[in-house]
Each structure stands twice: as structure tokens, then as C-alpha cells.
């Protein structure tokens, strides 16, 4: 973080209110007013499911289709955010700055967003992403650590970027705690704060109460958003409840392409909200084509609710741990769901991916001991 010149005390206290008019006046495809904004994260959260192997051609195809469908914000970054390409998280096939620049070039109306986790991504990378044309900075912290994001919000605002805060693993904090953390982000410069259900563990009223508490704290000064995962199949239902509670920004990913059992599918969000008479500005036919014709053909494995990802929702485990656990499971011959259950018991959070190997080794050791005991019992030794 050598070039960071903006200190926490420099972070602006934002007083600009985001009004109902701000939300309702942007009309991406000239299709009229809208009630909420959908941000598509196929090219960022979906990077986890793609093992960070997106090609430039895939990025261009997805951006072209989403842009045509009227999706207003498209997130492009390594799955773990700017700077995520590393041994711990997995190396990207193509440099994310190149992918961001390609996305910017392809979009005619959509804004390109980036995600960054302070510490993993630095202000240096934020500036590079901005120079490549990204205009929305989504800054993510663990749900109780908003204070690590102050200088990043200040830097993003100084660059003239739109800012969004991401409170990850939100099920681990009470509604009151989340509201307190959202306040920290807004005072630092966030124009919207998301309740992020990283583990897909929030069950209906859990999501609604958290959204409500955050709105009570920061509305109308800033907007509130919701980012869901499908581990318990509740991404869409939680998104609808979040909207009904007052959320104005909702995340999705085409074909649910995202970590764990995936994100709330963008095309299902569009269909559900349209059926409810809630205006998203998204053309349903176009977004359905984007999912079916553009994304589905290149997905190596559709995200799904299987034993391992359901365990993530049930035990409250970070969705992006799924493929790490599956790899460790194959290597040490132990079940992925058992690894994930232990991760939940130990309460590991993002950044502790390396502990997955420890757990796999521990389970393998326990298994070997049981086999040895079984062998001894078979020989009549007790
Ligand atoms: C590692 C970042 C993470 O994938 C952000 C996110 O989408 C989440 O917490 O759900
Ligand atoms: Mn996510």
C-alpha cells in the first residue's frame, strides 16, 4: 500500500442525500422510470465458479449482452476483488485490468464496477481500474470491520467514482451491528451499503431485518443494497424481501454464476420483479438470452445446491470456499461437506482459505486413525 496518500482522517463525511429521484431518473435503455437498480456480478462473483479463468472474449460477450438488456451496472474483477490473483486465491487467466478495459470498451450505457477488499486490493489498483474506465467502486469488508475501508472510500470519491460498501458474511452480525458498520462506511464516503449474504445463510426475515436496520440508520443519506447467494435457495426470495424493506440496489449473476450455489440469477430477478410490477429497467427477453445463449454455453459446471453448497448455507460458510474445499477434498480424500461443516464450526472468514487445507489434513488424520483402530479391532486387539 506504498502509494496511499489518503489517510482515514481525510475521509469525507458525505452529506449528499441519494433521493428517490436519483433512483428513478436513470433510464438506461430509454425504457422509463425504474424502482431499483440491478447490478450484475457474473464477471466478478462468477469468477470464483470459473476458477478465475475468464477470457477477454467471454467478458466482451457477457458485457455486450447485459448492456443490450439494459443492466446498468456490470461488475468485473477477480472473484476476490482487485489484486486477488494470487497463490492463495487462484491466479487469473487474463489480467483483470485488461478485462475491465475490454468491458468498458464494450459497454454503451452500462457502468463498469469493480470490487476490492482493502488489504488484498490497494489504492494503487483502484487507480488503475479507474484509469481503465471503471466508474463504480464496490469496497468490501467483513461485516464487523468497516473501519478498514475508510481510506479506500476516500480515494474512490476523490477519483470521482460512485461508491458502494459491501458488508460481507452479514449473517454473522446482528441487525444493530450491521447498521453501526454501515454508518461507518457512509461517513467514509459510501453512497450505498449492501447487506451481503456471502454464505447464503440468511433466511427470509434475517435478511429483511438487517436491511431494515441499515435503512433506519443510513437512509435517506445513502441507499441500501442486497447481494444474495443460493446455498439455501433463497437468493431471489431474500432479494424481494430486501426490496420490500426499502433496498434500492440488488445483485445478481446470469445463470446464477457465482460462488457456492451461485448468486441470485439476474434473469430470475428480472422476471420476478417484472411479474410484481417493479421496474428494473431490464429487458426480460434480452436478459434471458444473455443467460441462455451467452453464459450457459461456456460454464464448465452450473452452480448448484448440492451437499457441499447447502452445507455452506446451513453452517454459514463463505461461498467462495467451495472450490477450495473441493480441491482439498480430492487431494486428501475426505468429503468436501465435512470440511465445510468444520469451517463453519471454527467460524473462518474470508482470507482464511489456507485453513481449509489444515481441516482436510485433520479429517484425513482422523480417518486414518479410525482405519487403524478398525484394523486392530479386526486382529482382536482392543
Ligand atoms: C471474496 C469476495 C466475495 O466473493 C465477495 C462476495 O461476493 C460475497 O461476500 O458474497
Ligand atoms: Mn458473493
Amino acid at each position: 500500500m506504498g502509494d496511499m496518500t489518503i489517510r482515514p482522517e481525510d475521509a469525507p463525511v458525505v452529506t449528499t442525500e441519494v433521493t428517490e429521484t436519483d433512483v428513478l431518473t436513470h433510464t438506461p435503455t430509454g425504457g422509463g422510470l425504474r424502482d431499483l437498480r440491478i447490478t450484475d456480478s457474473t464477471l466478478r462473483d462468477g469468477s470464483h465458479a470459473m476458477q478465475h479463468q475468464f477470457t477477454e472474449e467471454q467478458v466482451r460477450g457477457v458485457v455486450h449482452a447485459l448492456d443490450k438488456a439494459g443492466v446498468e451496472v456490470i461488475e468485473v474483477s477477480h472473484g476476490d476483488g482487485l489484486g486477488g490473483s494470487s497463490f492463495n486465491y487462484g491466479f487469473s487467466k487474463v489480467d483483470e485490468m485488461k478485462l475491465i478495459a475490454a468491458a468498458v470498451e464494450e459497454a454503451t450505457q452500462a457502468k463498469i464496477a469493480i470490487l476490492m477488499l482493502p488489504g488484498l486490493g490497494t489504492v494503487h489498483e483502484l487507480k488503475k481500474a479507474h484509469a481503465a474506465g471503471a466508474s463504480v467502486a464496490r469496497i468490501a469488508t467483513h461485516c464487523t470491520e468497516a473501519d478498514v475501508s475508510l481510506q479506500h472510500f476516500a480515494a474512490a470519491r476523490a477519483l470521482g467514482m460512485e461508491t458502494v460498501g459491501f458488508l460481507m458474511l452479514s449473517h454473522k452480525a446482528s441487525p444493530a451491528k450491521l447498521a453501526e458498520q454501515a454508518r461507518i462506511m457512509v461517513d467514509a464516503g459510501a453512497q450505498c451499503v449492501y447487506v451481503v449474504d456471502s454464505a447464503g445463510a440468511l433466511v427470509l426475515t434475517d435478511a429483511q431485518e438487517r436491511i431494515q436496520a441499515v435503512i433506519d440508520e443510513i437512509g435517506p443519506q445513502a441507499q441500501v443494497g442486497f447481494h444474495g447467494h443460493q446455498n439455501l435457495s433463497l437468493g431471489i426470495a431474500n432479494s424481494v424481501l430486501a426490496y420490500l424493506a426499502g433496498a434500492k440496489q440488488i445483485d445478481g449473476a446470469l445463470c446464477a454464476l457465482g460462488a457456492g450455489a451461485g448468486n441470485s440469477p439476474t434473469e430470475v430477478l428480472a422476471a420476478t420483479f417484472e411479474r410484481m410490477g417493479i421496474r428494473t429497467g431490464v429487458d426480460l427477453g434480452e436478459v434471458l438470452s444473455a443467460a441462455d445463449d451467452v453464459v450457459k454455453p461456456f460454464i464448465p459446471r452450473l452452480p448448484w445446491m448440492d451437499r457441499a453448497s447447502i452445507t455452506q448455507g446451513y453452517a454459514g460458510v463463505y461461498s467462495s470456499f467451495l472450490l477450495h474445499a473441493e480441491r482439498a477434498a480430492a487431494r486428501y480424500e475426505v468429503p468436501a461437506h465435512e470440511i465445510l461443516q468444520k469451517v463453519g464450526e471454527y467460524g473462518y472468514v474470508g482470507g482464511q482459505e489456507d485453513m481449509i487445507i489444515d481441516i482436510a489434513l485433520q479429517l484425513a488424520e482422523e480417518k486414518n486413525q479410525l482405519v487403524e483402530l478398525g484394523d486392530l479391532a479386526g486382529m482382536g486387539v482392543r
Side-chain angles (χ1 to χ4, degrees):
M1 297 200 195
D3 73 330
M4 274 183 197
T5 48
I6 299 161
R7 294 176 301 280
E9 57 270 30
D10 298 327
V13 174
V14 181
T15 50
T16 23
E17 288 192 0
V18 181
T19 64
E20 195 74 5
T21 331
D22 290 333
V23 171
L24 291 174
T25 46
H26 193 101
T27 52
T29 50
L33 301 178
R34 63 179 169 72
D35 302 307
L36 67 86
R37 184 173 88 174
I38 290 180
T39 292
D40 184 89
S41 189
T42 310
L43 298 171
R44 198 281 304 162
D45 213 316
S47 177
H48 291 298
M50 294 289 290
Q51 302 202 52
H52 317 294
Q53 298 304 295
F54 275 126
T55 63
E56 185 177 328
E57 193 190 350
Q58 287 165 344
V59 167
R60 284 186 183 276
V62 173
V63 172
H64 181 79
L66 284 169
D67 184 70
K68 193 168 166 204
V71 172
E72 197 192 337
V73 183
I74 302 171
E75 189 179 47
V76 183
S77 301
H78 181 278
D80 294 277
L82 297 183
S85 181
S86 59
F87 184 77
N88 198 27
Y89 297 101
F91 291 102
S92 302
K93 184 183 181 92
V94 180
D95 187 299
E96 61 192 340
M97 297 302 164
K98 198 168 174 201
L99 298 182
I100 291 166
V104 170
E105 206 175 279
E106 208 61 51
T108 63
Q109 60 76 26
K111 298 178 194 171
I112 302 303
I114 56 84
L115 183 83
M116 72 179 303
L117 279 63
L120 184 54
T122 67
V123 169
H124 175 69
E125 277 130 1
L126 181 66
K127 286 178 178 166
K128 276 174 72 177
H130 175 255
S135 57
V136 183
R138 308 213 310 167
I139 299 170
T141 75
H142 181 61
C143 58
T144 55
E145 291 174 3
D147 56 348
V148 303
S149 63
L150 307 191
Q151 57 200 334
H152 303 80
F153 280 115
R157 291 298 293 266
L159 289 166
M161 297 177 86
E162 182 187 326
T163 49
V164 172
F166 237 49
L167 290 170
M168 298 188 292
L169 283 175
S170 279
H171 72 281
K172 284 186 176 282
S174 66
K177 184 73 185 172
L178 276 185
E180 169 205 296
Q181 296 293 303
R183 164 57 54 197
I184 293 172
M185 286 185 160
V186 171
D187 286 348
Q191 294 164 301
C192 172
V193 178
Y194 266 67
V195 171
V196 180
D197 186 14
S198 312
L202 294 177
V203 178
L204 306 175
T205 49
D206 299 334
Q208 204 173 15
E209 285 164 10
R210 282 166 174 76
I211 293 282
Q212 192 61 61
V214 175
I215 288 177
D216 289 348
E217 175 61 39
I218 66 172
Q221 199 181 344
Q223 293 187 347
V224 176
F226 180 73
H227 172 102
H229 277 271
Q230 290 283 71
N231 302 332
L232 296 180
S233 188
L234 294 172
I236 298 290
N238 284 342
S239 298
V240 170
L241 289 174
Y243 171 76
L244 294 176
K248 294 292 184 199
Q249 301 191 26
I250 302 284
D251 279 10
L254 294 169
C255 297
L257 190 67
N263 291 99
S264 318
T266 300
E267 64 278 17
V268 184
L269 285 173
T272 304
F273 283 125
E274 183 160 324
R275 194 153 158 75
M276 293 175 73
I278 296 160
R279 298 161 299 183
T280 62
V282 175
D283 183 303
L284 186 54
E286 291 291 350
V287 82
L288 287 168
S289 297
D292 256 36
D293 306 337
V294 179
V295 172
K296 207 178 197 175
F298 70 65
I299 299 183
R301 182 184 95 172
L302 275 169
W304 189 239
M305 289 151 281
D306 56 14
R307 188 164 186 172
S309 61
I310 295 167
T311 301
Q312 290 186 292
Y314 178 77
V317 175
Y318 216 49
S319 291
S320 63
F321 282 10
L322 180 65
L323 298 192
H324 294 270
E326 287 185 348
R327 281 192 292 268
R331 184 162 173 195
Y332 299 105
E333 297 181 355
V334 290
H337 69 89
E338 286 187 24
I339 299 177
L340 291 162
Q341 180 68 37
K342 288 264 182 229
V343 171
E345 284 165 23
Y346 296 152
Y348 292 147
V349 299
Q352 292 183 293
E353 280 78 355
D354 51 341
M355 299 307 290
I356 289 169
I357 301 281
D358 259 38
I359 293 175
L361 282 166
Q362 179 196 326
L363 288 172
E365 177 63 24
E366 284 168 15
K367 198 172 114 188
N368 285 340
Q369 279 172 4
L370 283 177
V371 171
E372 277 170 24
L373 279 175
D375 288 349
L376 289 175
M379 288 189 295
V381 182
R382 297 199 177 261

